[in-house]
Amino acid sequence: MRTILLASTVLVATLSPLAAAAQESPDAAILTPERVFADPALSGPVAKGVSLSPDGELVAFLRSREDDVDVQDLWAAPTGAGEPFKLIDARALVPDAGELSEAEKARRERMRISARGVVEYSWDEQGRYILAPLEGDVFLAERDGGAVRRLTETEADEIDAKVSPDGNYVSWVRDQDLVVYDLASGRETPITTDGDGLITWATAEFIAQEEMDRDTGYWWSPDERYIALQRTDESTVDVIPRLDITGGGASVIEQRYPRAGRPNAVVELYVHDRESGRRTKVDLGENADIYLARVNWSADGRTLYVQRQSRDQKTLDLLSVDPATGASRVIVTQRSDAWVPLSHDFKALENGTFIWSSQESGWKHLYLYDRGGRLLRPITRGDWAVKALNGVNQQTGEVFFTASMRDGRELPIEQQLFRASLADTVEPVAVTPAGGWWSASMNRTGTAYVGNYSDPATPPRSGLYRADGTFIRWIEENRLDESHPYFPYASRRQTPQFGTLESHGETLVWQMTTPPNFDPSKTWPVVMQVYGGPSGGGVRRAWQPLTNQLLTEAGYVVFRLDNRGEGDRSAAFKEALYLKMGQPEVEDQVIGVNYLISLPFVDDDRIAMMGWSYGGFMTLMALTEPEMGLAAGLAGAPPTEWSLYDTHYTERFMSTPEANAEGYAASDVISRLPDMTGRLLLMHGMADDNVIFENTTRVLNALQEASIPFETMLYPGQRHGVRGNPRQLHQWRTYLDFLDRTIGSRAPAAQD
């Protein structure tokens, strides 16, 4: 047993046996993997992709079918009286879903879409139509009457379909070219015709989709005259042969994959004038080795705004472009010594001004600019970060945004919707109550929003609200009553406790959940869950994944710590990992494990860590860190050498392999493998086109060469995630079996 004296610990919630365990019903059901990964979904009727019609009178959303949770239908509900109704029945329209094209498979993987059926949809700006791609074809639902019109029935997939702003046209990309469909005449017009091979029109390139959160490659002007569209030439990108291994065999995919330090695709931007038929190239500058980050139109359609990011991501320029000539000029520039983050916070207003966010103050905030890029005033300020710009009411001058803040202070574990002002820099007003996790989707006019909420005792629910927070109606109340599929298991669900630890002057947040029969006088094994990478933090006062309950039911304390670099917090907090990924994050996890072993009910010798993707990398780094002393690690799809990963993500945090050889070497797990402190379970999809399978095979080879025992589970046909109930059930059976044998009831220490 190890003895640790832990300093700088601030506990915000004391641990005690939960009353719910003592009061649970005698016939309470124990949650099992077999039930978690079965239909109907235990999450209940959760609305996904909820959006309001532009006039705020109708709500559309996606709902999984009760007979197959992996297939979604499109539903709608009036914002006044009336019940929700099914607008598009995926199975009725396309009973036998065929195989998607490789391009669409890749696009959905980038968007993290695993469902089939209706997976995305869009309104026209008048709110007359809802466009829904379905299994490679395009369907248009009319709001009045609900008639559904099939626009395409082709062998090729139509992807990234959109309704034009005034609802006169529908556009899509087919076979690497952009097509416009006239709804009145039913006639198709090709906008480009030379998309083929390594040339693609109107589609976001791999890097934009995977790392820049940009899923489209074309943009209609508000008056429907112009279409801005990108042209991508991948001939400069290295070919990385990738084995796509399925249960039926293997094929070699010649994937164009831009690894760190290597050439990117050449991306150009053009404007197509529908009146003249002329296509004009936009001047993006002399340096072609840049990123096309964002494209937006002014409210009157006379100006195209383009965000151009430098290759090293330390400079982000906002260009004002004349769509008739393609001439551009830089009107705002953001700079950083580390990297300038991208966002979706740009909003062009009807009076010619625009809103844009920046974290140059050390925290991300919203600012108002005139049409020429002159700063008028900050809209928000303080030692907390704006998460997202949600909407603007241009009539009242109200600006709506989400943030993790209470009483003017950062509170990372909660999120609310707030209201500020265009007219002056004022203290924000909370629109939604505190105490949980809110997200919001506002209508175009900023008069109403769909609020999505959960807390540890409340499953995700969606409601319609006026802009002042007044409740109008439920979209999916998802009440946890006796009719809810999860109700039989609810009494054994344990409420997580939250706390903080200090690291290098920064406050880290953690959460801990104990088993249903928790007795603090005994010692318990712990599973540390980790992601650790630079993205939204995982410690939230929100409804917890049901897989957490699988772990607590198996007798494990579940612990999660958001280390430096993780979460939408201050620039300093995020930039702590700059040029040294895998170092400050592991230092913080060491602080976490030291806190755990200071607790009398934690068995020091039975602590494991599990994570996927960056969490898999973190698990390997922690399992080979002597100060962690882990008994086991479960690493899924881990990047194991950052020079094997893509340009935009890796260079943002690590620069290039040539410029930061020391940082890349320190983050390579191969040299650390002899220091493994416990047993390893390594998982990977055998068709992963994001974290290439080579990341895992090099670890397999090194462990075998060193004669170090380990366990592996590979998933044929799976990409960066394990999809579908049967395989996920297998994945979690494997997890639980491995944990039981290493730190659980069948572990040698437990048997002794």
Side-chain angles (χ1 to χ4, degrees):
M1 302 288 285
R2 291 166 291 169
T3 301
I4 297 289
L5 179 62
L6 183 70
S8 67
T9 297
V10 181
L11 190 63
V12 299
T14 58
L15 290 169
S16 62
L18 297 170
Q23 297 173 357
E24 73 178 37
S25 170
D27 57 352
I30 296 177
L31 192 64
T32 65
E34 291 73 20
R35 180 59 193 93
V36 170
F37 301 107
D39 299 320
L42 283 177
S43 57
V46 177
K48 291 166 280 189
V50 184
S51 69
L52 277 163
S53 62
D55 60 9
E57 294 183 359
L58 195 70
V59 180
F61 58 96
L62 302 174
R63 179 190 283 177
S64 295
R65 299 177 66 92
E66 289 190 4
D67 59 347
D68 190 342
V69 71
D70 293 325
V71 177
Q72 297 175 157
D73 298 320
L74 179 64
W75 286 69
T79 56
E83 295 300 313
F85 57 93
K86 189 181 294 187
L87 194 59
I88 294 182
D89 186 319
R91 286 269 176 81
L93 292 177
V94 185
D96 300 312
E99 187 76 7
L100 295 170
S101 67
E102 182 62 28
E104 179 63 358
K105 287 180 182 177
R107 181 172 177 269
R108 292 191 181 192
E109 180 69 19
R110 304 285 79 76
M111 297 172 71
R112 303 300 185 257
I113 294 174
S114 59
R116 296 296 295 263
V118 184
V119 298
E120 57 181 328
Y121 67 93
S122 59
W123 293 92
D124 71 308
E125 292 191 6
Q126 309 306 309
R128 294 180 296 171
Y129 304 111
I130 299 178
L131 187 72
L134 177 58
E135 305 300 352
D137 286 315
V138 181
F139 294 81
L140 189 73
E142 296 183 9
R143 174 175 166 177
D144 294 335
V148 179
R149 177 178 170 187
R150 185 169 192 157
L151 303 184
T152 66
E153 193 168 3
T154 62
E155 291 186 7
D157 284 346
E158 284 78 29
I159 65 174
D160 197 12
K162 301 177 185 179
V163 187
S164 63
D166 287 335
N168 295 310
Y169 306 95
V170 172
S171 52
W172 56 72
V173 178
R174 179 197 295 143
D175 292 331
Q176 300 174 221
D177 282 308
L178 181 64
V179 176
V180 170
Y181 179 95
D182 189 316
L183 285 173
S185 67
R187 185 177 66 250
E188 289 188 8
T189 301
I191 302 302
T192 63
T193 57
D194 60 335
D196 187 44
L198 299 176
I199 304 298
T200 302
W201 284 98
T203 302
E205 75 277 21
F206 170 88
I207 283 295
Q209 293 180 32
E210 179 62 40
E211 308 299 359
M212 298 165 62
D213 197 22
R214 178 167 67 80
D215 302 316
T216 189
Y218 71 99
W219 302 265
W220 284 89
S221 66
D223 59 4
E224 298 184 343
R225 175 176 175 177
Y226 297 112
I227 303 175
L229 68 164
Q230 79 172 72
R231 179 184 185 271
T232 304
D233 181 354
E234 289 190 294
S235 62
T236 55
V237 181
D238 294 339
V239 176
I240 307 297
R242 173 174 63 84
L243 273 178
D244 195 325
I245 303 173
T246 70
S251 58
V252 177
I253 306 294
E254 300 291 330
Q255 183 173 347
R256 296 276 172 170
Y257 190 96
R259 286 179 167 169
R262 299 294 300 155
N264 277 320
V266 176
V267 175
E268 299 171 329
L269 185 65
Y270 291 80
V271 176
H272 173 77
D273 186 338
R274 296 187 55 259
E275 289 185 2
S276 66
R278 185 176 60 189
R279 186 188 309 150
T280 302
K281 186 177 180 179
V282 172
D283 180 8
L284 295 179
E286 295 181 1
N287 183 5
D289 193 14
I290 52 93
Y291 293 106
L292 178 65
R294 300 285 185 266
V295 177
N296 300 90
W297 286 95
S298 63
D300 60 11
R302 297 179 181 178
T303 303
L304 184 67
Y305 293 106
V306 178
Q307 294 180 41
R308 177 186 66 192
Q309 189 178 46
S310 61
R311 173 67 185 258
D312 65 8
Q313 301 178 58
K314 295 183 179 183
T315 303
L316 181 63
D317 293 320
L318 180 64
L319 308 181
S320 175
V321 178
D322 181 347
T325 65
S328 68
R329 61 190 181 95
V330 177
I331 59 172
V332 184
T333 296
Q334 297 182 17
R335 293 185 175 88
S336 170
D337 291 335
W339 71 88
V340 179
L342 301 178
S343 74
H344 293 286
D345 298 330
F346 183 91
K347 173 69 175 178
L349 305 180
E350 293 174 358
N351 64 3
T353 62
F354 62 85
I355 298 171
W356 201 24
S357 66
S358 167
Q359 72 165 24
E360 288 181 293
S361 71
W363 300 85
K364 190 176 88 164
H365 283 292
L366 301 174
Y367 297 87
L368 181 66
Y369 299 83
D370 69 13
R371 67 175 70 245
R374 181 173 65 92
L375 176 64
L376 298 178
R377 70 183 62 88
I379 297 172
T380 62
R381 63 186 172 194
D383 292 343
W384 48 270
V386 168
K387 296 291 191 70
L389 174 64
N390 295 85
V392 180
N393 185 324
Q394 298 186 56
Q395 300 301 313
T396 63
E398 295 171 305
V399 179
F400 298 89
F401 63 92
T402 45
S404 293
M405 175 264 290
R406 190 192 293 183
D407 299 326
R409 299 179 62 184
E410 184 188 33
L411 184 61
I413 64 174
E414 295 184 7
Q415 181 169 288
Q416 292 173 260
L417 180 68
F418 292 88
R419 179 177 68 248
S421 172
L422 283 173
D424 198 5
T425 308
V426 299
E427 288 300 314
V429 176
V431 177
T432 57
W437 195 271
W438 285 88
S439 63
S441 173
M442 298 203 79
N443 65 341
R444 182 168 53 87
T445 56
T447 57
Y449 66 92
V450 172
N452 306 296
Y453 174 80
S454 80
D455 60 41
T458 307
R461 65 187 186 190
S462 301
L464 179 65
Y465 301 81
R466 294 189 180 93
D468 63 2
T470 302
F471 174 77
I472 299 174
R473 66 161 297 162
W474 290 116
I475 298 168
E476 292 286 14
E477 184 179 9
N478 201 14
R479 181 187 293 273
L480 187 52
D481 56 20
E482 293 184 1
S483 66
H484 197 284
Y486 178 69
F487 184 79
Y489 313 96
S491 65
R492 292 179 61 84
R493 184 181 186 88
Q494 305 302 291
T495 302
Q497 309 294 310
F498 297 89
T500 62
L501 297 168
E502 297 299 314
S503 173
H504 296 79
E506 298 285 357
T507 298
L508 314 177
V509 293
W510 57 258
Q511 68 182 48
M512 181 185 295
T513 312
T514 54
N517 57 339
F518 179 69
D519 180 349
S521 67
K522 300 179 180 179
T523 57
W524 299 81
V526 179
V527 175
M528 299 178 69
Q529 294 183 326
V530 67
Y531 180 73
S535 67
V539 177
R540 297 180 178 182
R541 201 187 304 276
W543 186 253
Q544 300 297 304
L546 295 179
T547 48
N548 283 14
Q549 189 169 344
L550 293 180
L551 294 171
T552 57
E553 289 286 12
Y556 303 109
V557 173
V558 179
F559 181 82
R560 181 161 191 154
L561 173 77
D562 283 353
N563 50 247
R564 282 173 295 157
E566 188 173 9
D568 296 322
R569 300 184 61 181
S570 71
F573 191 90
K574 292 184 288 186
E575 292 171 2
L577 53 66
Y578 184 57
L579 301 180
K580 49 185 178 181
M581 288 201 301
Q583 298 178 54
E585 308 98 294
V586 174
E587 290 175 9
D588 290 351
Q589 295 298 329
V590 169
I591 292 174
V593 81
N594 285 344
Y595 170 66
L596 286 172
I597 64 178
S598 74
L599 301 174
F601 56 82
V602 168
D603 187 333
D604 305 2
D605 297 318
R606 292 196 291 160
I607 300 177
M609 179 176 283
M610 65 186 303
W612 197 272
S613 193
Y614 202 104
F617 163 71
M618 284 290 293
T619 298
L620 287 172
M621 296 295 284
L623 190 62
T624 54
E625 171 54 59
E627 290 189 48
M628 289 289 296
L630 296 179
L634 301 83
T640 64
E641 182 188 356
W642 286 108
S643 64
L644 299 178
Y645 202 57
D646 67 51
T647 52
H648 193 271
Y649 185 93
T650 310
E651 293 173 12
R652 184 189 324 159
F653 310 117
M654 293 286 282
S655 186
T656 64
E658 294 75 20
N660 183 26
E662 182 179 350
Y664 276 80
S667 63
D668 187 341
V669 304
I670 295 297
S671 62
R672 301 168 59 96
L673 293 176
D675 295 326
M676 276 175 49
T677 61
R679 298 292 298 223
L680 169 66
L681 170 62
L682 192 57
M683 290 184 169
H684 213 123
M686 301 181 78
D688 196 332
D689 60 350
N690 179 12
V691 178
I692 305 298
F693 190 36
E694 179 184 347
N695 282 274
T696 281
T697 57
R698 63 191 297 271
V699 174
L700 305 182
N701 181 66
L703 289 170
Q704 290 167 355
E705 285 187 341
S707 301
I708 300 173
F710 66 99
E711 298 181 34
T712 311
M713 183 55 65
L714 306 177
Y715 287 92
Q718 299 300 291
R719 301 205 177 199
H720 194 48
V722 177
R723 313 295 189 190
N725 276 338
R727 282 189 174 86
Q728 286 183 305
L729 172 58
H730 178 273
Q731 179 185 20
W732 272 88
R733 282 173 167 169
T734 304
Y735 279 154
L736 292 169
D737 175 71
F738 179 77
L739 287 169
D740 194 25
R741 289 185 286 105
T742 54
I743 66 169
S745 62
R746 289 188 287 159
Q751 293 172 357
D752 294 343

